[in-house]
Amino acid sequence: MNTRPALEFSQPEVLARLLALDATELDTLEFGVIGIGPDTVVCDYNAFESKMAGLSKDRVIGHPLFTVVAPCMNNFMVAQRFEDAAAEGQALDLTLDYVLTLRMRPVKVQLRLLAGRGADRRFVLINRKP
Amino acid sequence: MSADTVGELEQELEALIQFVYMAPAGLVQARSDGEIVMINPVAAQLMMPLPHDGSLANLFTALEGIAPDLRSRLAAFAAPQGMVCDGMHLPAPGGAKGERRLFSLSLIKLDDSRIMAMLQDVTLQAQRERLLRQQVAWLNAILTGVADYALISLDARGCVTEWNESIGRVTGHGQDVVGNSLAVFYPDDAITPERLLDRLHEAGHSGWSQDDGWLLRADGSRFWGSAMITPQRALASDKPLAAALAADADAPETGYRLIVRDMSGQHDAADAARHAAVCDHLTGIGNRRAFFDAAETELRRWRRMPRPLSLLMIDVDHFKKVNDTHGHPVGDEVLRHIARLMGTTFRQIDVVARIGGEEFAVLLPSADVVIAQRAAERLRAAIDGQPAPTDAGPVHCTVSIGIATMDDATPGVDALLKRADEALYAAKHGGRNQVCGPAVVPSEPG
C-alpha cells in the first residue's frame, strides 16, 4: 500500500506539499492549518485547528483571518509579516513562538508563517508546544 | 441530557466563544497575583509584541514593560471591589516600523481574589484628544478670574518691555524688571537659553505656548504657576479689522505677551487626575507617559534647532536579588529611595521617570555628554553611598547607568533609548555600579 508519509510541522519545503492537499487530506494532519487568500480571507481551516479553537469550519471559512477569526495575530509579529512579504514580493517561511487565546485560555504555540513569492495562498501552521 | 439539548448547548457555546473572540477590546480575567485565567484575542494581539517572558501567564509580568506600577496600584486599592484604574494611558512600543502607540488600560478589582483588565489601542483617539485638551487649557487660562494674573509685555527676544501693577502683585518685581529676559521669572534649574527660544518659537508657530511649573518671585521664593506666551504681531492698520486679523497669522512677531498665573493653593480634581496620569504610582516621579511626551517634544525642538541633548538609562543592579532576599515591599522602598535621590540630583528642567520595573530614564535638555556624565556619576555615587532605609534595615544598592547624546544619526526617541540601553549594557557588563557613555570623557579631578 502506498501511503504518503504524514506532513511534519517543521519539515522543509512544506508549502508546496500543503498547496497540493485537499480539505480531507488537511484534516488528517496533526497540527493546525489555516490557509488564506491574497485578501486574508480564510479558504482552508483543518479539523485539528477547528477542534483546538472551538470554532466550526463554517464560522471561519470565507471570513478575514486577522480581524474575525484570529484577531490575536493582527499585529506586526504575524499579520504585518504577511503584508510585508507580499508588498516586497518575497517568500515567507518563519517559525515563531506565540500565545493563542484558544477558548480564552493562553496557549503556548509555535506558528509557522508561509507564503510563496506570488502570495496567492498563504498559510499559518499552528503547533502546540510540549 | 438529550442529544438535542447537547446540540443546542454546543451551538450556544460556540456563538459565545465567537462573540468574545470578536470583541474589539482586549479582555483579561486574572487572579489577584496576576495569574491569567481567561484572555481574549485582542488582549493577546496587543500584549504579545510587548517585551515580556513570552508566555502571557501573568498579567503584571506581561504589562511590566509599559505599566510597572500596576501591582502597587492594586495593592493600594483598599475597597473590596471597584475600578483600580480607569483608562490609564500607557505609551507602548510600536510595530517593527517603530511608530509609537498608546494603550488604554482599565483595571477592575472584582473581589479579593480576582481582577479584570480591559486593554485598548487608543493611539488615534489620543491625538484627537490632545488637541481638544490644549484648547480647553487655553480657554481655562483666559476665563478663570483676572486677579490671579500678571500680564507682561515682551519684546521679540523675550525681554520685559514695561512694568505694570499685575507684575508687582504676582511676581513681586518692580520697575527694574524691565529689560530682563522672561527667564527672570523661572528658577535657574527650570530654564535654559534654548528652552526660552523654543517657547517663543512655539508661541509664534502655534499661536500659544503654555507651561506649568515652579516659578520664581523677586524675593527668591517659589510658587507653582502657569506661564503662557502668545505672539504679538503688527496689525496692518490700513486694512479693515477683519482683513487685518486674517493677515495676522502671517505677520512677523513684534513681541510676545506673557501671562503668569499663580496657582499655589489651587487643588482641583482636574489637577489631581492629571497628576495620577503622568506620575508613577509607586515613586511619584514621572511615568512612561510623562517621559515619552517630554521626549517627543524635546526631539521636535532638537530637530528644529539642534543643541546638546542627553539621555540617561538607569537600572538597579541585582534588583531581583533584593526582592528575593527581602521581599517585594522592601524592593519598593529601595525604588522610592532611588527616586528621591534622583529628585535631588537633577535639575527641574530634566525629565526624571520610571520606565520599567527597575529601570529609570532621565532626559537632560541642553546638556552635553560632559554634563550628563557628571550628573550620572553624582547619582551613582549618591546611591552607592546611601543605603536605602527600609523596614528590613538599611539596604545597600547600586545602579548602572548608560548615557546617550542626540545626534544626526539618531532618527527618534526609540533610537536614542536604544543607544542609551547599549551603553547601560556595557556598564552592566563592565561590572555594574558604573556609568558608561558614548565617548566618555575622563572625569576631571574635584
Side-chain angles (χ1 to χ4, degrees), chain B residues 249-277:
Chain B
D250 299 319
E253 287 102 46
T254 57
Y256 300 88
R257 284 172 222 107
L258 169 64
I259 304 168
V260 171
R261 186 161 62 117
D262 185 330
M263 302 202 295
S264 13
Q266 272 175 338
H267 300 291
D268 9 283
D271 271 353
R274 204 175 42 125
H275 198 258

Side-chain angles (χ1 to χ4, degrees), chain B residues 45 67 75 93 96 123 151 165 178 181 196 210 236 245 268 277 293 298 330 339 357 397 420:
Chain B
Q45 173 205 97
T123 312
L151 296 159
E165 262 194 66
V178 175
S181 111
L196 195 151
Q210 180 169 340
L245 285 172
D268 9 283
D293 278 355
E298 257 330 281
V330 170
C397 51

Side-chain angles (χ1 to χ4, degrees), chain B residues 415-428:
Chain B
L416 187 62
L417 274 167
K418 184 156 179 269
R419 284 180 44 215
D421 207 35
E422 284 159 10
L424 172 64
Y425 183 78
K428 292 277 186 193

Side-chain angles (χ1 to χ4, degrees), chain A:
Chain A
M1 191 155 80
N2 186 18
T3 44
R4 203 181 294 161
L7 272 188
E8 299 276 325
F9 174 82
S10 40
Q11 73 181 62
E13 309 302 318
V14 73
L15 178 59
R17 297 285 308 280
L18 280 169
L19 287 166
L21 296 181
D22 65 20
T24 320
E25 289 166 316
L26 286 176
D27 282 346
T28 65
L29 297 178
E30 308 224 320
F31 50 88
V33 176
I34 308 179
I36 56 175
D39 50 2
T40 78
V41 165
V42 179
C43 47
D44 306 288
Y45 193 70
N46 75 345
F48 190 94
E49 189 53 30
S50 171
K51 184 160 174 245
M52 282 300 129
L55 292 174
S56 60
K57 282 194 195 190
D58 49 290
R59 280 196 189 272
V60 168
I61 294 193
H63 296 282
L65 174 64
F66 298 118
T67 48
V68 172
V69 181
C72 54
M73 297 190 204
N74 192 16
N75 55 32
F76 84 87
M77 292 173 79
V78 184
Q80 187 74 45
R81 286 193 155 119
F82 281 109
E83 268 175 53
D84 289 347
E88 290 154 28
Q90 298 279 9
L92 175 66
D93 185 351
L94 179 70
T95 302
L96 64 147
D97 291 336
Y98 210 71
V99 176
L100 296 184
T101 54
L102 303 173
R103 298 175 185 275
M104 272 24 98
R105 313 257 169 208
V107 177
K108 280 177 146 168
V109 298
Q110 266 187 316
L111 299 181
R112 189 171 177 189
L113 315 182
L114 294 163
R117 283 227 165 145
D120 229 7
R121 216 153 113 232
R122 288 92 53 89
F123 290 97
V124 178
L125 309 187
I126 303 123
N127 200 23
R128 302 295 219 92
K129 280 179 91 170

